[in-house]
Amino acid sequence: MHIENQERVIRPARNVCGTLRLPGDKSISHRYGMLAGFAQGTSRFTNFSTGEDCASTLACMEALGAEVRRLEDGTLEVTGVGGRVKPAGVPLDCGNSGSTMRMMAGLLAAQEGSFTLVGDASLSRRPMERIRKPLELMGARLTLTEGHAPLHLEGGALKAINYTTPVPSAQVKTCVLLAGLQTAGTTTVREAVRTRDHSELALRAFGARLTRTVDSVSIAGSQVLHAIDAIVPGDISSAAFFLCAAALFPGSELMLDSIGLNPTRATLLDVLTALGVHISVLNLEEKNSELVGTVQVSAPQEGLGSTAIGGALAAQLIDELPVLAAIGPYTNGGIRIRDARELRVKESDRIALVVKNLRAMGAEVIEFEDGVDVPGGQTLHGAMIDSGGDHRIAMAFSVAALRAEGETLIHGAESAAISFPEFFDLLDLVSER
Ligand code: S3P
């Protein structure tokens, strides 16, 4: 059940220490849930994401005929429809989840029947033209409302295409691949900036054949997916809040077990290292083609340096930019972010909210259309934070609040549950006061 308008008080901390194991990666869980619901047989997952977004994906797959069971030991069992969904008869509710809507559209475009995808107010403001374009090139019939959800699809046989994504987006790439999986011929997606490749790895794990080059991925049509058993790695984008919290306190000691370290997702570790944070990765292993390891961090005595993020890095770090901006004032040299215009069309306008909330805490910050400049060496005070109902804004400013003077009140704190319901409890657990 979604509770609205919860507030959360965050008091300053003296240090951040401890060992945590985090719930499963949201991006991987979406893909495992969707592919398992579509495949033949029963898949079993441990450490599946506990977030509301992945629950939206599972609920949509159930409405399309998949069976979803949560066992007492926490295992998630999904029995798939064997490649043919049943028309839902009711609109499929994607909640707050752009991944659900965009990826599901590709899966359903090649299925017989009519499908309507709806979302909450935030999702209904987000751009959907980016999936209409390639799906129409494949021959799909898709109706949007002024470029937004509700999205209506008349599914049916499609034709293979060769498509270059105009904006770096793993969701758009996946949308085309899932349509291509069911389409005669070979569908190719080319991208200028390599985005997260969980779909490619997950499709292979479910038995599909894909070929990849440096900047493209091709999938042959008419392939059957087979159920898998998998452990979902801990979510590195959730870990980001704890890594950044630990980065703020010289003498911190934080260990995060079994975190997903897929190279298309782990750029944050390089950025934190460049800022001077001591990071070690232990027990690195591969599970269902995804890299998993334990991450150990401690902050430098001399404080954090400075960094500039732009170009391909901005796309690879897109979900971590709000928390990096939020810790910017506490660095010695500041954080500069550019080429991140996509932040304006996430669950909220994340650039606008980062600027508004940093200023509320007394920070100096300069706003750009595609980023921010956050000077370093600043002292912040507690404030009322407007999360805008955006999980990553609520969590980013809870981290900034740990080093502020006085208490901070996070409005819309419940939004953290979109990706990370356990966030506030775990933050309490590792914050020393
Ligand atoms: C995601 C891709 C990214 C990211 C989102 C999850 C995914 O979105 O911001 O949180 O799981 O594929 P875009 O594809 O819009 O860049």
Side-chain angles (χ1 to χ4, degrees):
M1 191 181 59
H2 190 82
I3 305 159
E4 287 192 358
N5 296 329
Q6 260 182 22
E7 290 173 352
R8 199 87 192 201
V9 176
I10 309 287
R11 286 179 295 117
R14 275 188 302 110
N15 204 352
V16 167
C17 290
T19 301
L20 297 176
R21 176 168 288 234
L22 302 183
D25 186 89
K26 175 162 92 70
S27 289
I28 297 175
S29 296
H30 275 305
R31 285 150 174 90
Y32 282 178
M34 210 174 280
L35 296 184
F38 191 63
Q40 260 175 16
T42 299
S43 296
R44 283 172 201 87
F45 304 112
T46 44
N47 205 39
F48 196 85
S49 165
T50 49
E52 291 172 5
D53 265 10
C54 294
S56 295
T57 286
L58 292 176
C60 288
M61 292 314 297
E62 272 185 298
L64 292 164
E67 285 171 32
V68 176
R69 289 171 296 276
R70 289 172 181 81
L71 308 187
E72 259 172 35
D73 65 357
T75 305
L76 180 81
E77 268 190 7
V78 181
T79 303
V81 296
R84 179 117 338 266
V85 307
K86 88 173 193 305
V90 291
L92 296 164
D93 188 357
C94 303
N96 191 244
S97 172
S99 299
T100 307
M101 186 169 281
R102 294 187 180 127
M103 303 198 302
M104 194 69 74
L107 189 79
L108 297 179
Q111 291 280 308
E112 293 297 333
S114 306
F115 306 96
T116 302
L117 303 181
V118 297
D120 69 5
S122 152
L123 183 53
S124 304
R125 285 192 293 270
R126 297 182 63 187
M128 291 297 148
E129 284 296 345
R130 53 184 66 189
I131 54 166
R132 187 200 347 225
K133 185 86 188 297
L135 289 178
E136 282 188 350
L137 286 173
M138 295 182 86
R141 282 168 300 152
L142 195 146
T143 320
L144 296 171
T145 314
E146 292 172 11
H148 304 281
L151 182 161
H152 185 74
L153 266 170
E154 292 296 331
L158 303 178
K159 55 178 187 294
I161 56 167
N162 201 322
Y163 188 68
T164 302
T165 51
V167 274
S169 166
Q171 295 171 358
V172 174
K173 173 174 63 175
T174 306
C175 169
V176 179
L177 290 177
L178 293 183
L181 170 74
Q182 307 168 67
T183 300
T186 298
T187 294
T188 299
V189 186
R190 205 169 294 281
E191 44 184 10
V193 171
R194 189 168 193 187
T195 61
R196 62 192 71 191
D197 66 355
H198 302 302
S199 298
E200 293 88 314
L201 301 182
L203 279 161
R204 277 197 181 144
F206 279 83
R209 287 175 324 279
L210 295 160
T211 48
R212 300 173 73 179
T213 68
V214 177
D215 66 347
S216 75
V217 47
S218 300
I219 189 160
S222 315
Q223 301 199 55
V224 178
L225 301 182
H226 297 281
I228 62 166
D229 284 359
I231 303 169
V232 183
D235 193 322
I236 189 158
S237 298
S238 297
F241 300 104
F242 292 95
L243 296 173
C244 287
L248 294 180
F249 297 94
S252 60
E253 283 289 347
L254 188 70
M255 188 149 96
L256 303 177
D257 277 342
S258 300
I259 297 296
L261 294 172
N262 177 316
T264 62
R265 291 287 300 286
T267 310
L268 178 70
L269 300 187
D270 299 332
V271 173
L272 290 176
T273 304
L275 281 168
V277 179
H278 306 297
I279 299 188
S280 347
V281 173
L282 319 168
N283 310 325
L284 196 62
E285 52 181 332
E286 204 180 306
K287 289 186 180 153
N288 294 100
S289 309
E290 292 283 358
L291 280 183
V292 185
T294 294
V295 180
Q296 241 178 2
V297 281
S298 64
Q301 289 301 333
E302 63 278 17
L304 303 173
S306 69
T307 191
I309 296 160
L313 274 189
Q316 277 153 12
L317 281 162
I318 198 76
D319 292 339
E320 287 71 65
L321 293 179
V323 68
L324 280 170
I327 63 164
Y330 304 119
T331 61
N332 294 326
I335 290 189
R336 171 193 166 98
I337 297 170
R338 289 290 190 287
D339 303 319
R341 193 181 305 263
E342 274 292 300
L343 284 178
R344 295 211 180 263
V345 291
K346 292 291 177 188
E347 287 83 328
S348 68
D349 178 341
R350 288 183 173 161
I351 294 180
L353 280 177
V354 158
V355 169
K356 176 179 175 181
N357 289 316
L358 277 175
R359 286 187 181 145
M361 296 181 82
E364 185 192 320
V365 48
I366 307 163
E367 178 172 1
F368 294 85
E369 183 47 33
D370 65 342
V372 285
D373 273 358
V374 186
Q378 305 193 56
T379 305
L380 270 50
H381 55 72
M384 302 238 260
I385 296 300
D386 173 10
S387 73
D390 183 329
H391 56 132
R392 297 203 201 279
I393 297 293
M395 294 188 278
F397 282 89
S398 302
V399 171
L402 297 178
R403 267 280 302 263
E405 285 171 3
E407 289 183 352
T408 294
L409 190 67
I410 311 283
H411 282 282
E414 76 287 347
S415 58
I418 284 295
S419 58
F420 194 4
E422 305 80 357
F423 172 74
F424 289 106
D425 291 343
L426 296 181
L427 191 67
D428 247 3
L429 202 67
V430 295
S431 301
E432 290 184 354
R433 295 198 156 92

